[in-house]
């Protein structure tokens, strides 16, 4: 953020450019997530069959689903990663916006402690309470605006540099260190713009929700029922965005609104690119590569974890069958073989006889 700010000399523009750069850096993850979502869509008929078949057998359903995910190279939890990364970035931006003396002007801790003490004396006890903890440096900027002469004789504190930063610590003429409120003392232009930032964040998330629902309905997609993290994004994020942006400084809310806007554009672009025909070809091509990789004994970390989970389920299965009679065990193994044959037939589009002749 500091490097971008030095380039453009405007904090609002720096936030926009920072958001674009992070979206570009994270695009491969979003692209992979979109492919995984498409894989989940294609798996829905098979998952429904498994759910119907093992309706009253949750452990066997879990094992069958894990095996299906392995065979089809699907990670059902991949939709969570982009959301976690967005929150990671969000709280990083929060720290940068709240500590401009540290991150942008590069002042040391001892100097910051000294000017914080002076700022508390200028602001008075009641106002200083609003600028404690993480907001201390914003309090210094507020005090400097009210009484710049109080900071004139402090070694290392460049008043002209801080004044220049304050002039550019804005978006649409509003101080990015200010916090939006439902009940401002005066409804002037600054209060209205501050009030609109949280609303804009929520509206953009709501548009994303509506758009995703339209896309799912158009594709007759029930994938979201099996993707808990995505459901959180769709139904909770609009409300969270409004609430959160009213709790933090305008700079953080403005970043969140920018992030929502570019996420919407990215999602629309990826959905336009991943047509059913193109998506099927891409997945078919990737499946061939994965089969070759597995043949060479190579697996990703996620795949190793899934294999371990399958192994744990198999241990449970061993415990389940150890007390079976030979006749019961033979019938159980025969059923397992028939189930495996059926899955392979469904995977490769072959016919399957539910009642094969006895061996």
């Amino acid at each position: 953020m500091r490097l971008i700010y030095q380039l453009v000399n405007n904090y609002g523009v720096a936030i926009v450019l920072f958001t674009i750069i992070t979206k570009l850096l994270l695009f491969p993850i979003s692209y992979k997530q979109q492919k995984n979502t498409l894989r989940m869509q294609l798996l829905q008929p098979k998952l429904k069959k498994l759910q119907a078949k093992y309706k009253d057998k949750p452990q066997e359903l879990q094992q069958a689903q894990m095996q299906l995910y392995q065979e089809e190279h699907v990670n059902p939890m991949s939709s969570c990663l982009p959301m976690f990364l967005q929150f990671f970035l969000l709280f990083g931006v929060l720290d940068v916006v709240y500590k401009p003396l540290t991150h942008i002007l590069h002042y040391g801790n001892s100097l910051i402690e000294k000017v914080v003490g002076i700022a508390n004396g200028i602001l008075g006890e009641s106002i200083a309470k609003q600028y404690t903890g993480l907001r201390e440096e914003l309090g210094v900027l507020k005090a400097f605006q009210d009484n710049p002469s109080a900071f004139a004789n402090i070694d290392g504190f460049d008043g002209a540099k801080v004044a220049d930063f304050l002039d550019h610590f804005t978006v649409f003429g509003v101080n990015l260190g200010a916090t939006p409120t439902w009940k401002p003392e005066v409804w002037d232009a600054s209060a209205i713009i501050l009030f609109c930032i949280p609303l804009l964040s929520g509206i953009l998330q709501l548009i994303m929700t509506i758009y995703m629902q339209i896309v799912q309905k158009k594709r007759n997609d029930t994938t979201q029922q099996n993707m808990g993290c995505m459901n959180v994004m769709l139904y909770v994020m609009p409300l969270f965005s409004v609430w959160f942006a009213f709790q933090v400084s305008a700079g953080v809310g403005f970043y969140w609104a920018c992030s929502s806007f570019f996420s919407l554009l990215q999602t629309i672009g990826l959905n336009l690119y991943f047509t059913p025909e193109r998506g099927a070809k891409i997945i078919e091509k990737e499946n061939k590569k994965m089969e070759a990789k597995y043949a060479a004994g190579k697996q990703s970390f996620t795949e190793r974890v899934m294999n371990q989970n399958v192994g744990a389920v198999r241990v449970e299965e061993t415990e389940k069958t150890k007390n079976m009679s030979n006749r019961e065990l033979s019938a159980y193994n025969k059923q397992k073989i028939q189930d495996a044959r059926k899955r392979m037939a469904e995977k490769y589009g072959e016919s399957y006889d539910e009642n094969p002749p006895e061996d």
Side-chain angles (χ1 to χ4, degrees):
M1 188 77 82
R2 179 173 65 88
L3 293 174
I4 298 171
Y5 174 78
Q6 289 177 343
L7 179 66
V8 300
N9 201 35
N10 182 281
Y11 211 89
V13 176
I15 288 175
V16 174
L17 292 177
F18 174 82
T19 309
I20 294 173
I21 291 171
T22 53
K23 288 295 179 186
L24 291 174
L25 291 174
L26 296 176
F27 181 77
I29 296 175
S30 299
Y31 181 84
K32 187 174 181 180
Q33 178 201 3
Q34 189 73 13
K35 286 192 298 183
N36 199 73
T37 300
L38 185 57
R39 287 179 180 275
M40 289 293 293
Q41 292 172 12
L42 296 175
L43 277 187
Q44 288 309 297
K46 297 179 181 179
L47 286 172
K48 286 182 178 179
K49 288 182 180 179
L50 291 177
Q51 290 165 359
K53 182 174 182 179
Y54 299 106
K55 182 171 60 174
D56 301 320
K57 301 175 181 178
Q59 289 186 342
E60 293 183 21
L61 174 62
Q62 181 187 10
Q63 182 184 3
Q65 286 178 333
M66 285 183 179
Q67 289 176 343
L68 181 62
Y69 291 148
Q70 278 187 303
E71 292 167 2
E72 300 293 342
H73 316 298
V74 171
N75 177 10
M77 296 304 294
S78 66
S79 64
C80 300
L81 181 58
M83 184 174 71
F84 291 146
L85 290 174
Q86 286 300 321
F87 278 107
F88 178 79
L89 282 171
L90 173 63
F91 288 104
V93 170
L94 188 147
D95 195 69
V96 172
V97 171
Y98 277 29
K99 297 181 177 180
L101 300 182
T102 298
H103 298 298
I104 306 300
L105 301 181
H106 262 204
Y107 287 155
N109 290 335
S110 59
L111 177 58
I112 291 174
E113 288 178 5
K114 185 182 297 183
V115 295
V116 165
I118 295 173
N120 289 338
I122 296 171
L123 295 174
E125 186 176 350
S126 60
I127 298 178
K129 287 180 180 178
Q130 302 174 21
Y131 295 99
T132 57
L134 195 63
R135 298 174 184 257
E136 283 183 340
E137 295 184 21
L138 296 179
V140 173
L141 296 181
K142 167 69 175 169
F144 180 82
Q145 271 186 317
D146 296 342
N147 187 3
S149 61
F151 298 85
N153 298 320
I154 300 175
D155 292 338
F157 190 86
D158 189 339
K161 188 176 180 180
V162 174
D164 181 72
F165 175 78
L166 272 170
D167 289 339
H168 299 96
F169 189 51
T170 61
V171 62
F172 307 122
V174 173
N175 187 335
L176 288 171
T179 302
T181 177
W182 291 93
K183 297 179 180 179
E185 294 180 0
V186 180
W187 280 101
D188 55 12
S190 295
I192 293 172
I193 293 173
L194 285 172
F195 183 81
C196 287
I197 288 175
L199 295 185
L200 180 62
S201 298
I203 289 170
L204 287 168
Q205 286 289 339
L206 183 61
I207 293 172
M208 174 78 83
T209 298
I210 295 171
Y211 170 73
M212 292 300 296
Q213 289 176 335
I214 292 173
V215 170
Q216 291 160 28
K217 187 175 181 180
K218 184 178 179 181
R219 295 180 177 177
N220 194 24
D221 176 24
T222 60
T223 305
Q224 301 305 326
Q225 297 174 5
N226 299 300
M227 299 174 73
C229 292
M230 190 59 69
N231 282 331
V232 171
M233 289 288 268
L234 290 178
Y235 301 111
V236 176
M237 287 306 295
L239 293 175
F240 171 81
S241 297
V242 175
W243 173 83
F244 180 79
F246 271 111
Q247 308 303 312
V248 296
S249 295
V252 182
F254 181 65
Y255 162 76
W256 192 240
C258 290
S259 180
S260 299
F261 175 71
F262 290 118
S263 292
L264 176 62
L265 294 183
Q266 178 179 271
T267 302
I268 292 173
L270 286 172
N271 280 318
L272 290 174
Y273 176 77
F274 277 103
T275 61
E277 297 79 12
R278 179 180 286 134
K281 290 180 180 178
I282 291 173
I283 289 175
E284 182 181 359
K285 185 177 180 180
E286 284 201 347
N287 283 345
K288 291 180 180 178
K289 289 182 179 179
M290 289 181 180
E291 295 292 348
K293 184 180 71 172
Y294 294 156
K298 297 178 181 178
Q299 289 182 325
S300 67
F301 172 77
T302 302
E303 290 160 350
R304 289 197 298 271
V305 171
M306 290 180 69
N307 284 337
Q308 289 173 357
N309 290 336
V310 172
V313 173
R314 285 173 178 165
V315 169
E316 292 180 7
E317 184 180 353
T318 301
E319 290 294 320
K320 177 181 176 180
T321 59
K322 69 179 182 180
N323 294 322
M324 286 184 179
S325 66
N326 290 338
R327 184 175 180 179
E328 291 173 333
L329 186 59
S330 177
Y332 180 81
N333 289 333
K334 184 176 180 180
Q335 184 62 47
K336 295 287 290 183
I337 292 171
Q338 288 181 359
D339 291 343
R341 286 174 177 170
K342 185 176 180 180
R343 283 197 302 271
M344 294 303 291
E346 290 173 348
K347 179 177 180 180
Y348 294 104
E350 299 174 354
S351 60
Y352 173 74
D353 186 357
E354 290 282 356
N355 298 299
E358 295 290 338
D359 293 336

